Amino acid sequence: MTVAPVTESVSESVAGCIGNTPVVALRRLFPGPGTEVLAKLELMNPGGSMKDRSARYIVESGLRDGSIRPGGRLIESSSGNFGIALAMAARLHDLRFTCVVDPKTTTANLAILRNLGVRLEMVTEPDEVGGYLGARIRRVRQLLTETPGAIWINQYANDRNWQAYYHGTGAELAEQLVHPPAYLFAAVSTTGSILGCARRLRERFPCLRVVAVDAVGSVIFGGSQGPREIPGIGSSRTPELCRPEEIDEVIRVDDVDAALGCRELLATEGIFAGGSTGSVVAAIGRKLPALPRPCRVLAIFPDRGDRYLDLVYDDAWLDKARRNRENQTA
């Protein structure tokens, strides 16, 4: 009798563990009749966020086509998750990495970056619109002139950003789902993930409506710049990748409602997620009562909650955010 050979499922590196994240039904959080809310748990990537996908795709594609040279230095502006994912990719491929951060980067993210051997550049003065993104990008440009041969990843303008999600998260969802979702809810910052996922899913489910969840005070889709504390969602400028015509609706969520969304998700579903996920939960809760029945909603949960312990899960921080909201609306 011939015995089939036994094969082992062993990845060559942690990069091989990126992707194939599960989809879970949120029946405890959204139990209403005629509705089904599904969440793609991108927070289960090994680096803790969906940014693992774009960092791996950008670095490996660059090494293949020669736009990133072996042993070279990468430079990027990041509030945390993409920086951590890029630091992991740089470690695996023997690249050096300088990450430009700002005072809103969480202490947990800074500690992780340092332990991954990243050279940190902290900008301390906000830009002309009161945010830090413009200031970070100016520092990136200075570093490029000071470091010949360095490569700026530029996730806000790099087409490989959205392509990573088209071939990754979006492609996985197209295989995981049999019945079509009516809506996709996803948080936005660079807009790469929402566009990549939407473009791939619309090939399979052409009637899909796409809802961008943005932060109050973000200017990605216009509006006035305002104060916001949660990193990883929103932007003080419109990303070059942004294509508003591919977005059907924008829902803006403030820091308080994002934190409450995180806490409600944890209390009902046991999912420990980050601030942008809380924003998605809050946006769905706001929109769901008005949606036609039956309705199937798909959500992307970008990152996990351990890096937000001193923000959305801290009672003192939440109390301060509530007072700030009251002062702004008074």
Side-chain angles (χ1 to χ4, degrees):
M1 185 174 100
T2 303
V3 178
V6 177
T7 59
E8 294 184 328
S9 178
V10 179
S11 297
E12 293 300 314
S13 75
V14 72
C17 304
I18 294 170
N20 297 311
T21 56
V23 177
V24 61
L26 306 179
R27 305 193 195 284
R28 297 166 185 82
L29 181 58
F30 298 109
T35 64
E36 183 180 39
V37 180
L38 308 176
K40 176 75 162 165
L41 299 185
E42 288 292 273
L43 51 84
M44 293 184 69
N45 280 300
S49 82
M50 68 191 310
K51 297 290 189 177
D52 288 4
R53 295 185 188 265
S54 49
R56 179 183 65 176
Y57 189 86
I58 290 169
V59 168
E60 292 182 355
S61 298
L63 287 168
R64 280 195 301 269
D65 68 15
S67 57
I68 296 175
R69 292 181 295 277
R73 177 168 293 279
L74 310 177
I75 298 177
E76 181 61 317
S77 158
S78 172
S79 60
N81 284 328
F82 187 64
I84 290 168
L86 203 52
M88 288 172 53
R91 273 290 189 186
L92 293 175
H93 294 285
D94 295 320
L95 299 167
R96 295 166 294 161
F97 177 37
T98 299
C99 190
V100 181
V101 296
D102 64 58
K104 291 186 178 180
T105 306
T106 66
T107 55
N109 283 343
L110 291 173
I112 294 168
L113 289 166
R114 288 192 186 98
N115 280 281
L116 281 166
V118 175
R119 190 172 85 188
L120 294 176
E121 289 278 339
M122 175 74 73
V123 299
T124 57
E125 295 297 324
D127 54 32
E128 58 278 359
V129 297
Y132 287 99
L133 181 56
R136 293 202 317 252
I137 290 175
R138 278 197 296 272
R139 183 58 185 145
V140 166
R141 295 186 187 279
Q142 292 170 356
L143 290 168
L144 290 171
T145 63
E146 298 168 5
T147 317
I151 299 297
W152 179 18
I153 297 299
N154 197 3
Q155 61 172 327
Y156 286 82
N158 193 327
D159 280 326
R160 283 175 171 162
N161 182 351
W162 72 262
Q163 290 167 7
Y165 299 102
Y166 176 92
H167 295 294
T169 312
E172 288 175 17
L173 283 165
E175 291 295 323
Q176 289 170 311
L177 302 181
V178 175
H179 304 293
Y183 292 86
L184 170 67
F185 282 70
V188 291
S189 180
T190 68
T191 69
S193 59
I194 192 172
L195 292 176
C197 290
R199 288 166 181 168
R200 181 63 183 86
L201 284 167
R202 278 172 165 160
E203 293 176 2
R204 174 90 187 271
F205 309 116
C207 295
L208 180 73
R209 291 184 60 81
V210 177
V211 180
V213 181
D214 199 3
V216 170
S218 166
V219 300
I220 294 175
F221 299 100
S224 301
Q225 167 77 14
R228 49 193 173 85
E229 295 298 323
I230 298 176
I233 182 171
S235 177
S236 56
R237 61 189 282 271
T238 300
E240 291 85 349
L241 292 178
C242 185
R243 297 293 181 270
E245 66 275 11
E246 298 184 38
I247 306 297
D248 295 296
E249 184 176 353
V250 178
I251 297 178
R252 293 179 172 86
V253 175
D254 65 20
D255 289 343
V256 172
D257 288 340
L260 295 176
C262 286
R263 291 166 178 234
E264 188 176 9
L265 178 66
L266 184 59
T268 56
E269 300 284 356
I271 298 173
F272 187 39
S276 51
T277 295
S279 296
V280 171
V281 168
I284 294 172
R286 190 184 304 171
K287 182 72 176 176
L288 199 58
L291 298 183
R293 303 295 192 271
C295 183
R296 192 178 217 208
V297 171
L298 174 62
I300 308 291
F301 284 2
D303 65 352
R304 63 189 185 215
D306 49 354
R307 297 167 193 169
Y308 297 82
L309 287 172
D310 54 352
L311 292 174
V312 299
Y313 294 101
D314 182 85
D315 290 342
W317 180 91
L318 181 56
D319 288 342
K320 182 180 178 181
R322 282 191 169 114
R323 290 194 298 271
N324 289 340
R325 183 167 72 174
E326 291 170 1
N327 292 335
Q328 290 163 17
T329 56

